[in-house]
Structures are given as C-alpha cells and as structure tokens.
C-alpha cells in the first residue's frame, strides 16, 4: 500500500507540474521519509509573544529522526531570528513569500528538538515558542525512528502556500 501511495502521489505531482497553469502560490513536497517511523505534529499561535508547542513521543524506544518548524506572518517579511524554539533563535532554510498577503518560513530544527525529546519520556514534551514580531502561528513536525512500528510508514511534508484569491 505504501508503494502504491508513493506512486500515485508522484504521478499527481508530475501532472500538476506539467499542467502549465500559472499560480501565485504552490504547495510542494518538502520531505518524504519512509520506514519504521511515526510523526508528531502540533501547531500554535497566540496574541501573546510566548506560547507552548508540543511533541508527542510515541514510546521510550522512539528517537527523533528529523524535526521541522514552519511559521507564517501576514504583516511583512518573516525574517531570521523573528522566532525562537526552546531558547534557540531560528534562521529559515527557506521562505515562501506572497507580497500581497503573507510570508511562510521553513526550518530544519532537528538539532534543537532531538536532544530534548530523545532524553524525555514517552508522551508530551512542551517546547516554548517566542515570537519577536506579530507571527500568525507556527507548526512543529517531528518524525521519529520508531522500532515498535510493525510496518513501514511514509510521511510527506509539504511547504509553500496556497493562493488566497481562489
């Protein structure tokens, strides 16, 4: 089933890429991971500059394979250092900017998340987000090496933006 899903997804991506339609925004596959893995995803946003975002570690045997932070702002550019995660200032690996509406950022935060979550017990671990400007919100995606999974799983993470004008 996983191979079939991957083949269908690749065909859809190819068809979309060949359509020739011009759009102001797009969502693109950023990460594809397969194996004995599981994923934790959480999002947050607040009118306060500090809030918690959570990682759900599935079991004690699971270890962080990779972790990614995405954030969005609608009132200007999303600059490096505008957000910190667990006390570490974030520099964006990639941004997707729509000058009329928003700016989205993507960062590999594995080096920040792994030492904290690998040392934690199973269950919820809180990480603090601090925004240095008016960010609309952030999402944290953590992919775990999870030897207790009884089958191979595939995780797709997309990044970009969708057209807000239809």
């Amino acid at each position: 089933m996983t191979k079939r899903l991957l083949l269908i997804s690749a065909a859809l991506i190819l068809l979309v890429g060949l359509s020739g339609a011009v759009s102001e925004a797009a969502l693109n596959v950023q990460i594809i991971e397969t194996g004995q893995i599981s994923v934790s995803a959480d999002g947050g946003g607040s009118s306060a500059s500090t809030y918690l975002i959570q990682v759900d570690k599935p079991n004690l045997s699971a270890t962080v394979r990779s972790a990614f932070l995405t954030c969005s702002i609608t009132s200007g550019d999303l600059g490096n250092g505008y957000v910190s995660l667990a006390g570490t200032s974030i520099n964006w690996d990639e941004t997707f900017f729509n000058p009329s509406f928003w700016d989205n950022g993507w960062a590999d935060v594995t080096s920040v998340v792994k030492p904290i979550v690998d040392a934690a017990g199973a269950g919820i671990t809180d990480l603090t987000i601090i925004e240095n400007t008016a960010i609309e919100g952030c999402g944290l995606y953590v992919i775990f090496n999870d030897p207790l999974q009884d089958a191979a799983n595939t995780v797709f993470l997309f990044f970009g933006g969708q057209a807000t004008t239809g």
Side-chain angles (χ1 to χ4, degrees):
M1 184 65 176
T2 300
K3 289 181 183 177
R4 177 182 237 172
L5 177 62
L6 183 59
L7 182 59
I8 291 169
S9 298
L12 287 173
I13 291 167
L14 180 61
L15 286 173
V16 170
L18 295 176
S19 69
V22 176
S23 67
E24 64 184 61
L27 288 175
N28 298 303
V29 176
Q30 192 79 1
I31 300 295
I32 301 173
E33 300 261 355
T34 300
Q36 284 182 280
I37 59 175
S38 55
V39 66
S40 170
D42 192 28
S46 175
S47 58
S49 62
T50 301
Y51 55 91
L52 297 178
I53 200 162
Q54 299 179 320
V55 179
D56 188 2
K57 185 175 178 178
N59 56 66
L60 284 174
S61 300
T63 58
V64 173
R65 177 187 280 199
S66 55
F68 305 96
L69 183 70
T70 61
C71 296
S72 183
I73 188 171
T74 58
S75 58
D77 294 338
L78 183 61
N80 286 330
Y82 282 18
V83 174
S84 68
L85 173 66
T88 300
S89 181
I90 302 302
N91 289 327
W92 304 110
D93 296 323
E94 186 174 345
T95 58
F96 196 95
F97 183 64
N98 178 325
S100 302
F101 301 103
W102 40 257
D103 195 7
N104 295 335
W106 171 278
D108 182 331
V109 293
T110 305
S111 63
V112 176
V113 173
K114 184 173 181 55
I116 297 168
V117 176
D118 282 357
I124 301 296
T125 298
D126 292 330
L127 301 175
T128 301
I129 294 271
I130 298 175
E131 302 173 354
N132 299 324
T133 191
I135 306 295
E136 266 50 69
C138 296
L140 179 63
Y141 308 90
V142 180
I143 300 171
F144 289 95
N145 289 315
D146 188 352
L148 297 184
Q149 291 293 315
D150 58 2
N153 295 308
T154 299
V155 173
F156 291 82
L157 296 178
F158 293 80
F159 177 69
Q162 294 179 308
T164 55
T165 57

